[in-house]
Amino acid sequence: MTFSPELEARFADLMTHYPQGRHRGALIPMLMYAQDEVGAITPDLMEELAKRLGITVLQVDEVVGYYSMLHKKPQGKYHVQVCTNVACMLLGGAELYDHACEKLGLGHKQTQASGKFSLEEVECIGACSWAPAIQVNYDFHHEVTTAKLDQILEGLQ
Amino acid sequence: MSNMVKLTINETAVQAPAGTLLIDAAKLAGIEIPAFCYYEGMALQAACRMCLVEVEKAPKLLAACVVPVTEGMVVRTESPAVVKARKTTLEFLLTNHPLDCPVCDKGGECELQDMVFKYGAGESRYTEVKVHVPEKQWSPVVFYDGPRCILCYRCVRVCGEGMGVGALGIVNRGVASEIAPSHGDHLECDECGACIDICPVGALTSGAYRYKTRPWEMEHVGTICTHCSNGCKTTLGVRNNEIVRGNNRDRSGLNGEFLCVKGRYAFDFNHHPERLQTPLLRVNGEMEEVSWSRALQAVVAKFKAGGKAGVIGSSRIANEEAFLLQKFARTVLHTNNIDHHRSGDVVTLLDALSGKTATLGTADDCYNAKAVLIAGADLSQQQPFLANQIRANYRHHKAGVYVATQGAVREDKIAKGVARTSGDCMDAVESLRDKLKSEPELLVLFGDSVKGEGVRKLVAFGESLGIPVKYICLVDYVNSRGAMDMGLLPDLGPGYHAVEGAPGMSLPQMMAATDLDLLWVVGANPLARHKLASDKAFVVVQDMFLTETARRADVVLPAASAYEKNGTVTNVCGQVQRLKRAVETVGAKTDLAIIGLIARGLGVNLGKVDADAVFAEIQKTVRGYNVPLPVIVTGGAAQTMPVNGRVPATVLPELIQSSRDTLFTTGTLTRYSKILNEVLEAPGGLYR
Ligand code: SF4
Ligand code: SF4
Ligand code: SF4
Ligand code: FES
Ligand code: FES
């Protein structure tokens, strides 16, 4: 499997951050960067990274399955994640999620046929102080209301 | 000695070496702290929270499996807060657990069942529907029932750290977490079953045992695995005169709880439908089933007739049988034409060590030696237990492991030095000299590619390092070592004394002799690799199956398996252990009994033909075997004394050739083990 020169450069740089014999520690950032480029964590990608880090595919799979930001299936161009964990739930996270479902015509972990939006109900994303919070790709949005959610979604092209 | 730390557990003063984990300190004091994920000798996990205890001044309960003891610590392991925490932990572990104990294989010996019973957490406040996923079969040996799994990681660790295989992992998160096999939907692994045995619950079950019986319905008989030379103790579960399980959960014996696939599951040959139950006699060229008395009469008549006789013993018969067989050959048939298939050059090693300070190594040494050199052997394939000892030594003591082999081996991964050879290993060994020299001591294990002069060179090399060196000469089967010690050799009698009179014919010479009148084969299958040149030879075979050799026989006497007899065997390191009869034979007899019956038919007196009596004679007469009986009788391993002095061998070491069994083969017996065949044929089967 081949990656873009930019990604390869990034990987090469990453390796310098880990001591000899501990390179497997770079697995999570590698997976994230590669996912951005490849679009999903494909079996080929898992095999490639396992080979590069000298670990088994199963060990890569353990990590991929654990972290919710790593996806084996391609997400929409905009991956909308609505938190419904306690802090957000108390301030309307659940309603927000229902609203998003209706607005996008999607359920949990579903993607529009057009590939534009995908939706996911997530656990705490660490933005409790500004609950309810949502995350679209790498961007956080705080104190979201249904109106604000409409606005955010409409602003995405 | 490290500093002792004083602490108090449950109002009792306890002392433990600094660094001891609280859970182990409690155990030393006879206090049990329940644990699921903690497992002695494995990496710490702290995953299950079952071991929570109250420690004074600590703000909350602590996990005793990861907290080292500290001076003045005051610990309570059964306080109301602890009991409540345990109950809650159990309630949590049971949220998706099916509690199907009445049909679960583990029922009756399940750690979860015991705990729930003790803390009364059978009722749950959860009202959610339990998550159910169907059971999966990952290999002929391993089945996984996800809902029963409590995610303790024991299986993952025993496979990765213990076996060095790493075929199991945990995937997903939270309620969806489950154990996953190496290759998506199936396992490609050693099929050792260690994961199954170590599982505290019934999540992992074995193809061999599942749904067959309940633990309390079996008799548990501790005996020795009959397959390789490592001589692991295996505890056979017997029900209705059938072996249904093999494990060693009580950790008795030199192997602790280690067993490979053969010790755990390949007892199934014992009940193979082709097991011989009736003697066979060749009448007018055809094999006919006959009575024991008729078969024995035919044998006795031929033995009386005399002529040129040859005797071939086996590396799987007991010491007593081998001893009696050679005594019979030498004193009744008056011949030194006696041999067996030799798989390692123990004879030259013993001779080469004569007068040297270097000694023989033991299974314990594999675990304790500061450095280990593996020369010319694929240890993980051929000597599974010794390989496991060395892996544990590396893991626990950071032993220096060195490998000098022809191809890549599993030990490469943990080795400090690796050298490849295309010849007899000495070049590779030599190239490791500087590294080996810097070690404080060395244990050398060598395979059959090192023989004759090679062994002498290796010993000379060891001497030149200037450090203490021990040696283990690797051999194939459960009693390969015992067969030699007992004198199943044409030039050496019991205890490696020169034989009286001229040395006899070796195995290949007997096969090639055109004038052989009588060939007596006990438990061996020489015709699998040799042709019998003498057409006129009357062939008597004692075996469990109709092997190539038995097909050529004139009389076949059905023999008992190792699991059907009492006696002793000597492992690769010279440790004597006891075989204990687990099941009764149906029509077969032990080789010892058969030899005795032939002697009686001939009217000769070989002394009392009974395993204990013959062993007493061995103790008295065979060099090195004056071992303490209580050790053996109580199921322990007694180390034989090394033969001190030259060994007057005359027969060429060139005859030595290991069968090169893999993890999944065991000589001729392989074909009669269903489980080994299934494993060999399984998709991705590793070691064909
Ligand atoms: S059977 Fe042995 S090698 Fe296979 S997964 Fe279990 S522990 Fe690992
Ligand atoms: S399968 Fe058994 S040993 Fe493995 S994690 Fe589950 S409960 Fe523990
Ligand atoms: S290592 Fe050898 S003796 Fe031990 S269980 Fe396996 S085959 Fe049997
Ligand atoms: S609960 Fe929603 S961000 Fe923490
Ligand atoms: S035994 Fe301590 S947390 Fe599992």
Side-chain angles (χ1 to χ4, degrees), chain A residues 135-149:
Chain A
Q135 188 185 347
V136 181
N137 296 350
Y138 288 115
D139 298 325
F140 280 70
H141 301 273
H142 301 147
E143 284 152 4
V144 185
T145 58
T146 48
K148 192 171 171 190
L149 179 68

Side-chain angles (χ1 to χ4, degrees), chain A:
Chain A
M1 191 168 190
T2 52
F3 303 112
S4 68
E6 294 76 30
L7 187 55
E8 286 293 1
R10 236 171 157 173
F11 284 169
D13 176 57
L14 258 179
M15 288 303 141
T16 65
H17 296 270
Y18 295 86
Q20 198 55 44
R22 300 279 171 88
H23 284 155
R24 59 162 67 185
L27 179 61
I28 295 174
M30 284 175 94
L31 281 164
M32 287 187 67
Y33 296 149
Q35 170 172 269
D36 287 344
E37 180 168 305
V38 180
I41 311 286
T42 60
D44 282 355
L45 176 58
M46 296 211 292
E47 212 165 292
E48 177 67 24
L49 296 189
K51 201 165 74 198
R52 289 187 182 207
L53 296 174
I55 55 180
T56 65
V57 178
L58 181 56
Q59 284 171 313
V60 177
D61 204 17
E62 288 182 314
V63 170
V64 174
Y66 188 83
Y67 290 102
S68 58
M69 74 277 189
L70 299 173
H71 305 280
K72 287 190 181 174
K73 279 202 228 109
Q75 307 300 305
K77 183 171 170 205
Y78 300 107
H79 185 52
V80 182
Q81 298 156 70
V82 183
C83 172
T84 58
N85 211 305
V86 182
C88 293
M89 184 189 69
L90 290 173
L91 290 165
E95 290 76 28
L96 206 57
Y97 174 67
D98 289 342
H99 184 74
C101 289
E102 213 175 302
K103 176 98 188 168
L104 297 173
L106 295 173
H108 177 54
K109 288 198 175 176
Q110 290 181 351
T111 308
Q112 288 178 341
S114 67
K116 185 169 174 195
F117 284 110
S118 52
L119 181 64
E120 187 174 354
E121 180 184 5
V122 295
E123 303 301 334
C124 182
I125 52 175
C128 319
S129 306
W130 308 282
I134 71 164
Q135 188 185 347
V136 181
N137 296 350
Y138 288 115
D139 298 325
F140 280 70
H141 301 273
H142 301 147
E143 284 152 4
V144 185
T145 58
T146 48
K148 192 171 171 190
L149 179 68
D150 288 346
Q151 219 187 331
I152 296 165
L153 295 180
E154 273 148 29
L156 295 169
Q157 279 320 310

